[in-house]
Amino acid sequence: MKDKERTEATLIEELGRLKVHDHLCLIYETPGEWRTAAVPFVKMGLERGEKCLYVVATHTVEQLRHCLKQGGVDVASAEASGRLAILHESEVYTRYGFFDPDRMTALLTSETERAIAEGYTALRLAGEMTWALRGLPGSEKLLEYEAKLNTDFFPKHPCLAICQYDRRKFDPEVIKGVILTHPLLARGNRVYHNFYYMPAEDFLNARRAEMEAQHWLNNLEREKRTQAALRESEEKYRRISSIISDIAYSCTTNVDGAYSIDWMSGDTKRTLGYTIDDIEAQSCWRFLVVDDDLPLFEKHVIGLLPGQSASCELRLRHRNGEVVWVTSYAECVTETETPERRRLYGGLVDITERKQMENLLKTVFDMSPIGMYVVQDRKVQQVNRLFARAMGRAPEQLIGKHPLGLVLPEDRERVRSNAISMLKGRHSLPYEFRVLDSAGKVKWAMETVAPIQYRGRPATLGSFMDITERKRIEAERLELERKTQLASRLATVGEMAAGIAHEINNPLTGVIGFSELLLQGELPEHIRKDLEAVNSNAQRVAGIVKGLLTFARQTKPTRSLVNINVIIQNTLELRAYHLRTNNIEVTTELDPDLPKTVADGGQLQQVFFNIIANAETEMRLAHGKGKLLVRTQKVNSNIRISFSDDGPGIPEENMQRIFEPFFTTRRVGEGTGLGLSICHGMVAEHGGKIWAESKLSEGATLFVELPIVAEREQEEETREEAEEGGRVPEARILVVDDEEVVRHLLREVLVEEGHQVDAVDNAQDALEKIKAGRYDLILLDVKMPGMSGLELHRQIKKTAESLAARVVFITGDVMGVDTSKFISENKVPHITKPFSPEQFRKEIGRRLSRGK
């Protein structure tokens, strides 16, 4: 390093030690000396979060800006943000051509208070003082003003200042006064604690000349005592160093880096294999340093400047060729008699054994089966290969990083608090969190931390395990458990649906059947409308029960060629009253050329009804009104139906769950969580798909997409249902059903068709009837008290197998496991409740035509 660079580096370092409340005087002779001190002073303030105020007099504003830019200061940004203000001396020191110390003190006070109010840590002031050379009135009070600042301003306000005086321009008497009124002086490459500083009360005293002389004499005595103390300190250092270091030394260096050993103590023979005389004979001990460590030796030992101290670890050569590790401590002071010479005091401690142990521990550290890392000063200092691999980075990419920077932002506070708690011994269990690897992939980690000593200072050792795979398996297990629980709940729903179907379908059969029979007669118009409403709503209840059965996958849809547009229009008509009263404006864009498709119209109506009702509820709860757009279109070989609302939208976390059974965001009592899951089941039965798209606060759109199925694809399914022409022969029929309303309905329909009908309510009576006479057809309920319909069929088959072939089951229990299995295995015909009289007539006619 060149002498000039060393000088500047020393001054910048000493300027960096200045603190708030310091009052510094810069005495310079050249522009270079001014720039070396003034520019770093401002730059440091900006870097430390202080507000900087610069008062120009020697320079213009533009000249100062140029110098600051050359010194690495972003002047434009600093001025724009208010962190830096450049003022002319006429705005600060003088008023109407007079020096006004009161104005200056008031300005400093207000600017300091404003800086603190704006969030700065302090006000940093730099003032050029050459304006005083113009002999302005009042400038004779300059030194008085400088003296009073030390008692009236700086101790009370968070401000520090550098006052700049060009020694070549000011009268020596003024320079002497400047020295006496500043506690700190910057001169050359040093910042001095000023021995010659006089407190304000002394400087302003009438007996100042007498007090000044005494002050100088006191300083001479102080310097004498300082020299004696230095010599005594050197002797003490020699003795203490020999105790705390294996080798202690003192040497003198010149500005060119050459040095000579003054003294050395310690067991150099044991540590290095050389005697003290051997080393001193070499004039220096650079020959001992391993070549690769010479740069460290030059920087931390020989390259030290006055006031600096340093320590480092070096490798030295033992006389026998082995490497000796040492910790070197060194401090540099200036020789009083010859300032160009420097004195180094140092010590060497043999750390070879510690280094060998560290190398052993490093091997263990690197070979550990778990990830490990060391944190010191909030930075990663060391990592092993497993930790680096887990983070997807090379070890050198992790060194120097803040450890929390690797943690997922949402987990950082939890990791920090857990680590602090563990380091303080409040808990010892490992904690889990998420990290981001180099590819941005989230991984799960589990770790423990412990306090250690690393390179002689406190640090933290982290033990880190990648548990991503374990978390994945655990998540799969939880998902499997969730699905198992869901399957169990669905099974419960299935059992419940079976009971509901059986209990509801019997009375529904009566309501639907008798209402249709009545509608076939002559009725007044108002009665006919009421009966039609009864029949329509009963059919709706039947559809709901059927939908529940479909949800449980126990019934097959009844397919026919349907017009999707018509189904949507009918559904909107059913919901028109609710939509209108809830202020929902409905718009339709139905493709007039939409092809028909084979589907269960009742199921699709239920799907559309549920979607519309859900959208209506969400819009009403969100803002008491809304807009609903229903659109149909042909997309490739599919029909796509969309329902778009302007409700609150669906949160991202719910998008994947809205079709799950029992999932609902409504309060208890406001929703079952079955609506959309039933829709999903029905659409899936048709080979279609249903999904949602949404942006929070921008509404949601539900899509239903159905394949276009041509009518010929249902011919196989409907062939058996085609009604043959011709008259149905009269027959003798036995009806066995424990429900009176069903028996009565069947008897009335069958008798009207011209058949002879016997009806009983239990299996035992049925067996007696069968033994007593011959029947062309037996209509048999599945579930009855005592002997069930299934058991009765078995009994009939044992005694008259041909009669068993003429049994038709009438049941509302098709989803019962036993019933389904029996019907499937024996391929027996069955009619599902509820049914209309017309459906019943056709089915019985078909059976009788085949049986005769």
Side-chain angles (χ1 to χ4, degrees), residues 83-100:
R83 293 181 293 132
L84 171 64
I86 303 174
L87 304 176
H88 190 262
E89 50 87 7
S90 61
E91 301 176 76
V92 177
Y93 292 108
T94 59
R95 178 182 292 179
Y96 310 123
F98 287 80
F99 171 55
D100 188 343

Side-chain angles (χ1 to χ4, degrees), residues 104 125 232 241 307 315 412 469 539 594 730 765 811 828:
M104 183 59 190
L125 173 68
E232 181 180 355
S241 295
R315 290 171 295 173
R412 287 174 184 171
E469 182 63 17
Q539 294 282 6
L594 197 69
E730 294 181 358
D765 290 349
T811 179
V828 293

Side-chain angles (χ1 to χ4, degrees), residues 673-684:
L674 289 172
L676 287 180
S677 61
I678 291 176
C679 293
H680 187 279
M682 291 178 174
V683 173

Side-chain angles (χ1 to χ4, degrees), residues 708-768:
I708 299 173
V709 181
E711 189 173 10
R712 63 177 179 275
E713 295 183 29
Q714 71 165 149
E715 290 179 358
E716 188 65 30
E717 296 182 12
T718 60
R719 188 176 297 127
E720 292 183 2
E721 300 177 5
E723 183 63 47
E724 297 290 340
R727 186 175 180 277
V728 176
E730 294 181 358
R732 189 180 180 193
I733 301 173
L734 176 63
V735 176
V736 186
D737 198 306
D738 63 319
E739 288 285 340
E740 182 178 357
V741 67
V742 176
R743 291 197 311 274
H744 183 54
L745 175 66
L746 298 183
R747 180 195 294 274
E748 187 165 330
V749 174
L750 292 171
V751 169
E752 188 179 302
E753 291 291 304
H755 303 298
Q756 299 179 30
V757 181
D758 290 333
V760 296
D761 63 358
N762 64 82
Q764 289 297 336
D765 290 349
L767 284 174
E768 294 296 327

Side-chain angles (χ1 to χ4, degrees), residues 469-752:
E469 182 63 17
R470 193 192 82 184
K471 279 287 187 178
R472 184 189 65 79
I473 295 171
E474 183 179 311
E476 289 179 353
R477 179 182 61 80
L478 291 174
E479 179 64 14
L480 181 60
E481 288 179 0
R482 188 187 68 81
K483 289 181 178 179
T484 302
Q485 292 172 359
L486 179 59
S488 175
R489 295 169 75 184
L490 288 176
T492 302
V493 170
E495 294 174 5
M496 178 182 69
I500 290 173
H502 184 261
E503 293 301 322
I504 292 179
N505 283 338
N506 281 318
L508 274 180
T509 301
V511 174
I512 293 171
F514 283 116
S515 62
E516 288 193 7
L517 289 178
L518 289 171
L519 287 168
Q520 292 172 7
E522 294 294 330
L523 296 170
E525 188 61 27
H526 69 280
I527 293 178
R528 177 175 295 279
K529 286 186 177 180
D530 290 345
L531 275 175
E532 287 175 348
V534 170
N535 183 268
S536 175
N537 281 282
Q539 294 282 6
R540 181 180 169 189
V541 174
I544 292 172
V545 174
K546 191 176 179 182
L548 191 60
L549 299 177
T550 299
F551 165 68
R553 300 291 192 271
Q554 295 295 334
T555 63
K556 288 187 66 178
T558 302
R559 307 288 175 86
S560 62
L561 198 64
V562 298
N563 186 320
I564 299 297
N565 287 344
V566 172
I567 295 174
I568 289 173
Q569 288 169 341
N570 291 340
T571 306
L572 289 171
E573 287 178 8
L574 284 174
R575 198 67 188 170
Y577 174 78
H578 291 85
L579 291 167
R580 186 171 61 256
T581 56
N582 285 312
N583 301 310
I584 307 299
E585 179 185 333
V586 179
T587 305
T588 58
E589 295 180 4
L590 307 180
D591 183 358
D593 299 321
L594 197 69
K596 294 182 179 181
T597 185
V598 173
D600 187 316
Q603 282 191 347
L604 293 185
Q605 186 172 33
Q606 188 173 345
V607 169
F608 301 155
F609 189 92
N610 273 332
I611 293 174
I612 292 168
N614 272 351
E616 172 194 319
T617 302
E618 292 300 326
M619 289 187 285
R620 175 175 56 82
L621 293 175
H623 33 247
K625 62 179 181 178
K627 294 182 179 180
L628 177 67
L629 170 63
V630 184
R631 180 187 289 117
T632 61
Q633 60 185 130
K634 181 176 179 293
V635 180
N636 299 323
S637 58
N638 296 308
I639 294 172
R640 179 176 294 174
I641 309 101
S642 63
F643 302 83
S644 301
D645 64 64
D646 63 350
I650 305 171
E652 181 66 30
E653 62 269 20
N654 295 341
M655 284 292 286
Q656 304 302 318
R657 302 191 62 196
I658 58 175
F659 299 108
E660 290 183 9
F662 308 106
F663 175 76
T664 179
T665 58
R666 310 270 170 78
R667 291 180 299 182
V668 175
E670 292 185 354
T672 63
L674 289 172
L676 287 180
S677 61
I678 291 176
C679 293
H680 187 279
M682 291 178 174
V683 173
E685 285 286 354
H686 284 77
K689 58 182 180 178
I690 181 171
W691 75 95
E693 294 179 2
S694 177
K695 287 186 178 180
L696 208 58
S697 302
E698 296 183 16
T701 300
L702 267 290
F703 294 91
V704 176
E705 200 165 88
L706 301 168
I708 299 173
V709 181
E711 189 173 10
R712 63 177 179 275
E713 295 183 29
Q714 71 165 149
E715 290 179 358
E716 188 65 30
E717 296 182 12
T718 60
R719 188 176 297 127
E720 292 183 2
E721 300 177 5
E723 183 63 47
E724 297 290 340
R727 186 175 180 277
V728 176
E730 294 181 358
R732 189 180 180 193
I733 301 173
L734 176 63
V735 176
V736 186
D737 198 306
D738 63 319
E739 288 285 340
E740 182 178 357
V741 67
V742 176
R743 291 197 311 274
H744 183 54
L745 175 66
L746 298 183
R747 180 195 294 274
E748 187 165 330
V749 174
L750 292 171
V751 169
E752 188 179 302

Side-chain angles (χ1 to χ4, degrees), residues 306-317:
Q308 291 183 330
S309 60
S311 63
C312 65
E313 294 180 354
L314 295 169
R315 290 171 295 173
L316 303 181
R317 296 188 188 91

Side-chain angles (χ1 to χ4, degrees), residues 133-286:
L133 297 174
R134 305 206 314 261
L136 296 175
S139 56
E140 69 276 1
K141 295 183 179 181
L142 172 63
L143 294 179
E144 177 183 336
Y145 158 75
E146 294 272 35
K148 287 182 177 180
L149 286 177
N150 297 315
T151 56
D152 297 343
F153 177 75
F154 283 108
K156 302 174 184 178
H157 298 84
C159 176
L160 68 162
I162 180 170
C163 301
Q164 305 160 37
Y165 288 87
D166 187 337
R167 193 188 70 81
R168 299 167 304 170
K169 296 181 180 180
F170 282 91
D171 185 272
E173 190 64 26
V174 174
I175 293 296
K176 187 178 83 169
V178 167
I179 294 173
L180 292 173
T181 55
H182 286 78
L184 296 169
L185 295 176
R187 173 76 173 147
N189 66 335
R190 296 295 306 276
V191 173
Y192 299 91
H193 286 277
N194 185 10
F195 282 164
Y196 304 102
Y197 164 69
M198 293 182 70
E201 59 270 21
D202 293 341
F203 183 81
L204 301 176
N205 195 296
R207 298 170 53 242
R208 171 181 160 189
E210 180 182 339
M211 297 182 70
E212 187 177 319
Q214 185 60 45
H215 190 64
W216 282 85
L217 291 173
N218 292 342
N219 284 333
L220 290 174
E221 184 62 28
R222 184 188 301 174
E223 185 173 353
K224 178 180 177 182
R225 290 197 302 270
T226 300
Q227 292 294 331
L230 183 62
R231 287 190 293 270
E232 181 180 355
S233 175
E234 182 177 320
E235 182 59 29
K236 287 181 179 179
Y237 183 82
R238 181 199 299 259
R239 294 175 182 175
I240 294 173
S241 295
S242 65
I243 297 172
I244 64 174
S245 303
D246 295 316
I247 299 172
Y249 64 88
S250 171
C251 59
T252 305
T253 69
N254 295 321
V255 291
D256 59 1
Y259 72 98
S260 58
I261 298 173
D262 299 321
W263 57 263
M264 182 173 286
S265 64
D267 192 350
T268 58
K269 183 71 174 176
R270 179 184 63 81
T271 305
L272 300 171
Y274 296 96
T275 66
I276 292 175
D277 292 339
D278 292 334
I279 296 173
E280 290 182 346
Q282 295 285 338
S283 298
C284 69
W285 46 283
R286 193 183 263 108

